[in-house]
Amino acid sequence: ALVLIPLLTSAYFLALRRYPAPRWRIACFLAAMVLLLAVSVTPIHTLAMHFLLTVHLLQNVVLAEWAPLLIVFGIPPALAGTIARPRAIRAFTHPAVALPLWLANYMLWHLPWIYDAALENPHTLLLLEHALYFLTGVAMWWCVFQDEPHRLGAGARAGYVFAAFVLGSPIGLVMALVPNAIYDFYVNAHHRVWGLDPLGDQQLAGMLMAVEQAIVFFGVFVYWFFRFLAEEEREEDVDRPPAAA
């Protein structure tokens, strides 16, 4: 984190020399970098790796949803068009590819035996998990806020985000509702934090994940849905014949 995040930030500001961005885009990108550092090199990381499933899920949400969303926000359209020129990027960010990859990756890493294996191998498998969260998250959000290489209408973007929420939300709900703690790594943790037992920790983690996704995805959905309604209204105004004198 202390190497890759500064490198990514430096590359972004070098790119801005050729592709200027408004301050709000720069602020979004920098907010993403701060979030990535916060979940990687602060006590949040220690809590996630050794004590609390709730904090580990927060870390995953930042890597797979919040930071990628802010980064996509932060990239100016001209730079996005340049980034998206390679055929591999065009394929990776296609809505029919990006959304299934993001969902499959999210679900795969939350399977108990894979989740535990990643935590037991923090320098190899866990790094791969976090990298894939981030990359698939960027791909998933790309077509929601960028027009290149796949320009979607406002209605299609609203439907895409709604599908992401509906298909992704069961992960948190299942964790909140199952009657037993399913991740042995946290069941076997020797120290308890904040008075949470393994099942209470898991239920809290699942509920917070479900609420977080409802807020973020529903907020983005509402934005594009109202954009869609506004576009439809403008088209109707254009097509409507002028009133008779």
Side-chain angles (χ1 to χ4, degrees):
L2 292 175
V3 174
L4 293 178
I5 293 172
L7 284 176
L8 186 59
T9 305
S10 299
Y12 176 76
F13 279 100
L14 285 173
L16 290 186
R17 294 182 177 182
R18 184 174 180 183
Y19 305 99
R23 290 182 180 179
W24 69 267
R25 287 192 183 275
I26 297 173
C28 286
F29 186 90
L30 292 178
M33 297 301 102
V34 170
L35 282 174
L36 290 174
L37 282 173
V39 299
S40 301
V41 298
T42 71
I44 292 174
H45 180 70
T46 303
L47 286 169
M49 293 301 98
H50 300 287
F51 301 105
L52 287 174
L53 174 62
T54 299
V55 180
H56 192 197
L57 279 194
L58 171 64
Q59 187 181 54
N60 291 345
V61 163
V62 168
L63 290 166
E65 299 176 28
W66 299 356
L69 184 151
L70 289 169
I71 285 175
V72 174
F73 258 147
I75 298 175
L79 177 57
T82 301
I83 294 173
R85 284 176 186 169
R87 183 175 299 179
I89 302 298
R90 293 176 65 88
F92 188 53
T93 57
H94 192 284
V97 174
L99 181 56
L101 278 178
W102 178 78
L103 289 167
N105 183 69
Y106 228 146
M107 294 178 181
L108 176 68
W109 289 108
H110 281 87
L111 294 174
W113 55 93
I114 298 179
Y115 202 98
D116 289 337
L119 287 165
E120 292 165 0
N121 296 275
H123 302 299
T124 53
L125 197 57
L126 188 66
L127 290 180
L128 175 63
E129 174 190 346
H130 288 175
L132 290 177
Y133 275 147
F134 179 75
L135 292 174
T136 57
V138 170
M140 188 272 293
W141 286 118
W142 192 272
C143 67
V144 179
F145 296 107
Q146 296 291 350
D147 293 334
E148 296 292 340
H150 310 288
R151 187 183 185 92
L152 301 181
R157 298 185 200 215
Y160 177 88
V161 173
F162 185 75
F165 168 66
V166 170
L167 296 172
S169 59
I171 299 173
L173 293 175
V174 168
M175 293 175 61
L177 296 175
V178 293
N180 300 306
I182 59 176
Y183 297 117
D184 290 339
F185 183 90
Y186 290 105
V187 171
N188 297 327
H190 298 295
H191 302 286
R192 302 291 171 223
V193 181
W194 302 336
L196 290 170
D197 61 18
L199 181 58
D201 181 23
Q202 178 178 296
Q203 290 171 336
L204 177 61
M207 288 188 292
L208 291 178
M209 184 176 180
V211 170
E212 168 273 328
Q213 288 183 332
I215 294 172
V216 172
F217 283 85
F218 185 71
V220 176
F221 164 77
V222 167
Y223 170 78
W224 285 112
F225 181 71
F226 279 101
R227 282 280 299 269
F228 167 71
L229 293 180
E231 290 177 3
E232 291 294 304
E233 185 175 351
R234 283 196 298 269
E235 290 180 5
E236 290 178 1
D237 290 341
V238 171
D239 295 338
R240 186 179 299 119

